[in-house]
Amino acid sequence: LSVCASGTGITLTTCGTAQTLSAGNAIAVIYSLGKNAPEIVSGSVVAATDEAANLDGDVVFVAHQPVATTGNVFDDHVEWIGAYALLSQMVNAGALP
């Protein structure tokens, strides 16, 4: 899983030309579609590029600060955990040697 700073320039598997926040090493991504989720899901509003990237079913997600610009709204909330962070927590908890 990869997390990018923008949906512009991403591919189905990488951030492409977009700034990479997590280069394929996220083991879990949790996201919320934000306040405009009902409108996007119902089709009454078309998702902007960055929000659409979180809905397309691939392994690349977009995370950044909210944007309220008309035609380019982004209110998704995206969190991820990397493999090293998980392993570190498991060692600290005594689950790993």
Side-chain angles (χ1 to χ4, degrees):
L1 301 173
S2 294
V3 182
C4 315
S6 168
T8 303
I10 65 174
T11 71
L12 295 175
T13 57
T14 69
C15 289
T17 59
Q19 178 187 1
T20 302
L21 303 176
S22 169
N25 64 356
I27 59 170
V29 173
I30 300 169
Y31 67 96
S32 166
L33 299 178
K35 186 176 180 179
N36 65 353
E39 291 86 13
I40 290 174
V41 172
S42 73
S44 64
V45 171
V46 176
T49 301
D50 292 351
E51 286 189 328
N54 292 337
L55 294 169
D56 59 9
D58 62 19
V59 297
V60 181
F61 296 86
V62 173
H64 59 73
Q65 294 295 318
V67 175
T69 306
T70 302
N72 191 30
V73 173
F74 182 85
D75 65 350
D76 293 5
H77 186 82
V78 180
E79 295 289 333
W80 67 94
I81 183 168
Y84 295 120
L86 177 64
L87 290 173
S88 173
Q89 291 298 318
M90 291 178 74
V91 168
N92 289 341
L96 290 176

